[in-house]
């Protein structure tokens, strides 16, 4: 039985900052951001947008009456949870008015959470082939204004429907994964900005990929020439490019050129949205599918997922005969084009107007409301969501 991605959609805030202009204000060479890091624009989430609203905004594009009736689980992978106890999946379940006879769970392991949800969904469908699982990978990456990590911030969500006999891509049963407790990145529960050991984290990302890729080739008997494209977790696009370079020395020229060309297609959305943690790999997959029209049914796509701390996994998917008909590239292009650019002072003001980590009531600014679902505030320590 084939199991995989039947539909996929994204959401990102209506606001962004131009990183060339940010570099100029910060006194940096713009090439440091656009070439050295590989980012051009960065989504800026107002306080009225969080993983719940972005996840619901992305998921609502996929839901039909038939899908609603077949749902068995709602899984949210995130490291930007809105509550230490209650699952963000339950907030989304409520906003989308989903059936009560489903499981609704949030999964956390840094940027690996979305992949954990995808694999849990795959296993569930293997046992329940008549069901559908809604998987959402949603995050807001925050490091702070004028910090070393500022240029690798971002916000967004990717929603996927996982089913038997999928229309877009199978998820093959060929995963190789690795876990090791390391301290390359973390976020204490009392703050909303992450702590990163940048150089060490990059080294670990690449070391995990190299070890897993070597084991994958040995165990699964696939080489780079078997892949039409490879996609990577993209906290910033240069990171994925470094990983791809580890593969290229063992490829022939045609394979290398193909992988490099399609890698660039997979980075286009990330270059404009920024880091969305658990969703970054799947934003890259969506970018590849939307922006490379030379892909064809039967092509094998490699996916590398990495979550600091750390867990990583490499697996593959096979494109299905009618995958292109399920895509909405024009809608995604319009979404990005229609966003409002913020000046650097406006970006800094929006960034600083955040839901506080304290029991005081808070109301978000309606000026920045976006999408079908918004967070209007926190009253009596209860989050207030609204459908517009």
């Amino acid at each position: 039985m084939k199991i995989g991605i039947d539909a996929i959609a994204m959401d990102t805030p209506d606001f962004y900052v131009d990183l060339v202009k940010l570099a100029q204000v910060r006194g940096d060479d713009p090439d440091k951001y656009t070439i050295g890091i590989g980012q051009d624009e960065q989504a800026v989430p107002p306080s009225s947008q969080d993983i719940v609203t972005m996840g619901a905004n992305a998921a609502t594009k996929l839901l039909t009456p038939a899908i609603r009736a077949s749902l068995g689980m709602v899984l949210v992978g995130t490291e930007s949870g809105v509550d230490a106890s209650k699952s963000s999946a339950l907030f989304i379940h409520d906003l989308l008015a989903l059936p009560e006879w489903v499981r609704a769970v949030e999964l956390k392991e840094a940027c690996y959470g979305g992949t954990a949800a995808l694999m849990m969904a795959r296993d569930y469908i293997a046992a329940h082939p008549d069901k559908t699982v809604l998987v959402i990978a949603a995050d807001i990456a925050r490091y702070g204004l004028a910090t070393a990590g500022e240029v690798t911030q971002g916000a967004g969500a990717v929603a996927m429907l996982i089913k038997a006999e999928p229309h877009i891509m199978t998820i093959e049963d060929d995963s190789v994964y690795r876990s090791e407790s390391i301290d390359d990145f973390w976020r204490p529960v009392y703050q909303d900005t992450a702590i990163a050991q940048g150089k060490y984290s990059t080294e670990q990302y690449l070391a995990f990929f190299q070890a897993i890729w070597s084991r994958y080739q040995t165990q699964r008997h696939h080489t780079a020439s078997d892949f039409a494209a490879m996609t990577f977790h993209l906290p910033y696009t240069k990171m994925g490019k470094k990983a791809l370079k580890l593969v290229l020395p063992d490829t022939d020229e045609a394979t290398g050129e193909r992988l490099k060309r399609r890698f660039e297609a997979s980075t286009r959305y990330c270059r404009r949205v920024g880091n969305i943690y658990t969703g970054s790999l799947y934003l890259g997959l969506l970018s590849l599918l939307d922006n490379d029209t030379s892909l064809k049914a039967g092509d094998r796509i490699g996916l590398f997922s990495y979550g600091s701390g750390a867990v990583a996994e490499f697996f593959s998917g096979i494109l299905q005969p009618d995958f292109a008909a399920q895509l909405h590239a024009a809608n995604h292009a319009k979404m990005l084009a229609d966003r409002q650019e913020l000046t650097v002072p406006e970006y800094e003001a929006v960034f600083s107007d955040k839901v506080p980590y304290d029991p005081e009531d808070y109301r978000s600014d309606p000026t920045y409301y976006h999408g079908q679902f918004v967070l209007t505030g926190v009253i009596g320590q209860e989050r207030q969501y609204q459908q517009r």
Side-chain angles (χ1 to χ4, degrees):
M1 178 175 59
K2 295 180 179 180
I3 302 171
I5 301 171
D6 190 67
I8 184 170
M10 63 176 281
D11 185 69
T12 191
D14 270 350
F15 310 96
Y16 74 96
V17 63
D18 184 294
L19 293 182
V20 169
K21 296 176 182 177
L22 180 63
Q24 292 167 343
V25 171
R26 297 288 184 254
D28 291 328
D29 182 346
D31 287 353
K32 177 181 177 181
Y33 295 3
T34 61
I35 299 174
I37 301 295
Q39 299 298 124
D40 299 316
E41 300 169 354
Q42 187 175 104
V44 179
S47 62
S48 56
Q49 289 294 297
D50 63 9
I51 60 167
V52 171
T53 62
M54 291 188 298
N57 283 328
T60 194
K61 303 166 188 176
L62 306 179
L63 298 176
T64 64
I67 291 297
R68 288 173 176 273
S70 69
L71 276 181
M73 292 200 296
V74 181
L75 302 176
V76 177
T78 187
E79 55 183 284
S80 310
V82 299
D83 189 90
S85 177
K86 184 176 179 179
S87 165
S88 56
L90 282 169
F91 288 107
I92 292 173
H93 174 276
D94 180 57
L95 285 178
L96 297 176
L98 297 177
E100 64 181 308
W101 306 110
V102 301
R103 293 176 177 143
V105 179
E106 179 179 307
L107 296 95
K108 183 193 76 175
E109 195 335 86
C111 300
Y112 176 77
T115 299
L118 177 64
M119 294 306 170
M120 183 181 290
R122 188 188 186 283
D123 290 348
Y124 176 82
I125 297 301
H128 306 85
D130 59 332
K131 294 293 187 179
T132 301
V133 178
L134 171 60
V135 169
I136 297 170
D139 266 305
I140 296 174
R142 289 174 61 93
Y143 296 96
L145 300 175
T147 63
E150 181 179 32
V151 73
T152 62
Q153 298 178 137
V158 177
M160 297 175 282
L161 296 179
I162 311 305
K163 293 181 59 180
E165 304 305 322
H167 285 90
I168 294 181
M169 188 177 82
T170 62
I171 301 300
E172 296 296 286
D173 186 19
D174 62 353
S175 287
V176 172
Y177 36 83
R178 179 177 181 234
S179 299
E180 182 183 354
S181 180
I182 61 174
D183 294 322
D184 62 328
F185 172 105
W186 65 98
R187 181 175 68 82
V189 294
Y190 51 79
Q191 65 186 56
D192 64 357
T193 52
I195 299 171
Q197 307 292 342
K199 183 175 183 293
Y200 178 59
S201 189
T202 297
E203 291 169 350
Q204 290 301 308
Y205 176 108
L206 297 175
F208 267 70
F209 173 70
Q210 195 159 34
I212 288 174
W213 173 239
S214 176
R215 188 176 180 88
Y216 179 87
Q217 292 178 93
T218 300
Q219 291 191 343
R220 308 309 181 202
H221 308 295
H222 287 304
T223 66
S225 62
D226 295 314
F227 291 87
M230 286 187 178
T231 57
F232 298 85
H233 168 55
L234 296 173
Y236 53 92
T237 65
K238 193 67 173 287
M239 181 81 95
K241 191 172 185 178
K242 289 178 179 180
L244 180 62
K245 283 184 176 180
L246 298 176
V247 173
L248 298 180
D250 297 326
T251 65
D252 57 70
E253 183 176 356
T255 297
E257 290 305 311
R258 179 180 72 246
L259 294 178
K260 287 190 288 185
R261 183 181 72 253
R262 287 179 169 153
F263 172 78
E264 292 304 318
S266 77
T267 66
R268 292 184 191 175
Y269 289 166
C270 178
R271 291 189 72 98
R272 302 187 65 186
V273 171
N275 188 1
I276 61 169
Y277 288 158
T278 56
S280 293
L281 170 60
Y282 303 101
L283 185 66
L285 173 64
L286 183 56
S287 181
L288 171 68
L289 298 178
D290 278 355
N291 292 298
D292 192 320
T293 57
S294 67
L295 290 166
K296 62 185 186 300
D299 279 345
R300 183 182 295 271
I301 310 297
L303 299 97
F304 176 66
S305 180
Y306 177 83
S308 291
V311 179
E313 184 163 353
F314 185 88
F315 59 101
S316 72
I318 306 295
L319 295 180
Q320 296 304 289
D322 57 349
F323 79 94
Q326 315 303 316
L327 303 176
H328 303 282
N331 291 344
H332 296 143
K334 186 175 187 303
M335 176 192 301
L336 294 172
D338 287 349
R339 295 176 303 165
Q340 176 185 335
E341 181 183 349
L342 301 179
T343 66
V344 174
E346 287 172 334
Y347 145 68
E348 292 176 338
V350 171
F351 184 93
S352 299
D353 179 21
K354 59 184 181 179
V355 178
Y357 268 68
D358 62 48
E360 299 301 316
D361 287 353
Y362 172 83
R363 295 188 184 277
S364 58
D365 185 349
T367 303
Y368 295 103
Y369 282 4
H370 147 82
Q372 186 173 345
F373 304 102
V374 296
L375 173 69
T376 60
V378 181
I379 309 299
Q381 300 188 65
E382 294 185 33
R383 299 178 85 85
Q384 309 293 311
Y385 291 102
Q386 175 181 305
Q387 181 172 357
R388 300 167 67 211

